[in-house]
Amino acid sequence: MSDPKPSRRRVLATGLAAAAGAVAGCLDGSVTGGPANDDGDGRVLRLSLDDAGETLRDGAVIDPAESDPRWNQAAFAAARDGERYTAQYRKPLPAATDDPTYAVHEETYYRLDSVVVNEAVETRPVLRLFEADDDGETDNDDETDAVETQTLPESDRNAVEIAHKSTRARGNPGGVPVGLVERGGYVYRDADAVDASELPAADGPDRVTYRDSAYRVEVTREQFYEPVYRAVAEPVAESTEGMEAILRAQTVGARIDDDDLSADAREVIEAARHGGYEESHPYSDGYAELLRALHERPYIDGNVRKDAAWTESGSERIRYGDRYYDYRLRFESA
């Protein structure tokens, strides 16, 4: 059947040129459109689909036996056995948020968390670096007194590198790396590292040289209020099917089978899988049907110029056939 306004839709395929061309031909010849006039707002609604695979576990579950997770495996082992494991300041396991972390051990799946169970008060050395000429002394004095950073213990070398980032940022736009610099310098938190370090010592060097520049060393001892975390590993599933069901319930929205869609809607979704698909409003019957199957009614049932632009929908994970896809809807200039 002919399209009353074929210029309203475009297939945006990259690669697979022959397949994409065939899909485009089908769309131009068989997808029925809405009213011939469009809204004239100069934009199109683009749908893209990214393949997320056949299972959700591959990207959501960590197997410590096959990878090196960036959390305390001793904490995971203790929490699995019901033992109390706590850590101060740093979370022993990932904290459960809207996107929790799961791990598997001997075919049992666990949901990981770190919960605050107390507060600790500690006095920590804080290293700050300042331009050596800030105190009015000469460059010769700076060079004579300064200790080369590379000759210091590893804990001090790391401290100087991080403290230098704060020194470099003073008075300059761009800020400092969040999570590394604290209180304008570097905080020594590991007791063993403090014992092995030279800079926090009472007779430590007053100046250091870093990247061919001399810096004045300032070490203060300051009070910190730090959380105490308890590691939690809650068993949630005893099989791969059970874990898959949990992940589907948490992350998957619409579930669509080929039989749920008309031929026109299937052509639209195939085009979206091969690079993207777009139309201007009013949308063709096939596009509108697919939007309803995605539960994206604000794009067709409301004021398209206003309501859909502010809706919280527009991106989600779906199951289509036997695979998962992440889709995205967005308005673009025609």
Side-chain angles (χ1 to χ4, degrees):
M1 69 185 72
S2 61
D3 189 333
K5 195 172 180 62
S7 62
R8 291 195 297 109
R9 56 182 58 83
R10 286 187 294 162
V11 178
L12 306 179
T14 56
L16 300 176
V23 172
C26 292
L27 287 172
D28 287 339
S30 62
V31 177
T32 58
N37 61 306
D38 64 31
D39 289 342
D41 61 357
R43 65 180 183 176
V44 293
L45 179 63
R46 186 177 192 275
L47 169 66
S48 58
L49 283 174
D50 294 324
D51 194 334
E54 294 184 351
T55 70
L56 301 174
R57 301 186 310 280
D58 292 344
V61 178
I62 297 172
D63 187 347
E66 298 180 358
S67 62
D68 184 16
R70 292 188 174 183
W71 33 262
N72 191 325
Q73 295 198 53
F76 181 41
R80 290 197 316 266
D81 295 337
E83 300 175 3
R84 182 180 177 85
Y85 188 103
T86 61
Q88 188 172 316
Y89 179 67
R90 293 183 176 85
K91 299 179 180 69
L93 295 177
T97 61
D98 293 337
D99 189 17
T101 299
Y102 296 94
V104 60
H105 177 73
E106 294 182 352
E107 299 183 356
T108 298
Y109 293 84
Y110 298 85
R111 184 176 186 266
L112 307 184
D113 199 0
S114 289
V115 297
V116 177
V117 295
N118 204 345
E119 179 185 66
V121 182
E122 299 287 351
T123 299
R124 308 285 192 190
V126 181
L127 169 69
R128 299 181 182 91
L129 300 179
F130 298 89
E131 299 291 343
D133 56 4
D134 287 349
D135 56 10
E137 297 188 12
T138 65
D139 291 342
N140 289 336
D141 291 335
D142 297 336
E143 294 174 0
T144 301
D145 297 341
V147 173
E148 176 60 44
T149 297
Q150 294 305 315
T151 66
L152 295 171
E154 181 180 357
S155 55
D156 283 329
R157 296 198 300 270
N158 180 58
V160 168
E161 180 180 358
I162 293 174
H164 175 261
K165 298 179 186 299
S166 178
T167 306
R168 182 181 57 190
R170 293 190 191 111
N172 297 317
V176 296
V178 177
L180 292 178
V181 172
E182 189 175 357
R183 297 193 183 184
Y186 175 82
V187 180
Y188 288 85
R189 280 198 162 83
D190 187 279
D192 292 337
V194 172
D195 293 340
S197 301
E198 296 181 10
L199 294 179
D203 57 350
D206 295 327
R207 286 173 175 75
V208 295
T209 300
Y210 182 73
R211 293 184 177 176
D212 299 326
S213 296
Y215 296 92
R216 177 168 55 87
V217 173
E218 177 187 278
V219 178
T220 60
R221 280 165 172 77
E222 302 177 13
Q223 194 172 66
F224 289 82
Y225 297 88
E226 299 175 346
V228 177
Y229 296 96
R230 176 170 57 85
V232 177
E234 178 185 4
V236 294
E238 299 291 337
S239 66
T240 56
E241 293 81 6
M243 188 68 244
E244 196 74 17
I246 291 172
L247 295 171
R248 279 200 307 270
Q250 287 185 331
T251 64
V252 179
R255 326 291 172 92
I256 305 172
D257 291 326
D258 276 344
D259 295 340
D260 297 333
L261 301 176
S262 67
D264 289 348
R266 288 198 298 270
E267 290 170 1
V268 172
I269 204 170
E270 286 303 313
R273 290 171 61 187
H274 288 88
Y277 180 81
E278 62 186 29
E279 286 188 22
S280 61
H281 191 265
Y283 309 123
S284 67
D285 292 345
Y287 202 13
E289 177 188 345
L290 180 57
L291 292 174
R292 292 190 180 95
L294 296 174
H295 309 311
E296 296 289 3
R297 290 178 179 272
Y299 287 91
I300 49 179
D301 293 345
N303 184 326
V304 175
R305 289 192 180 94
K306 296 180 180 179
D307 296 347
W310 297 104
T311 182
E312 293 182 357
S313 58
S315 61
E316 199 174 35
R317 177 163 291 175
I318 64 170
R319 185 169 179 84
Y320 176 60
D322 58 356
R323 301 188 71 82
Y324 297 99
Y325 295 89
D326 292 321
Y327 76 83
R328 183 183 179 191
L329 285 164
R330 62 183 181 273
F331 286 111
E332 296 181 349
S333 299

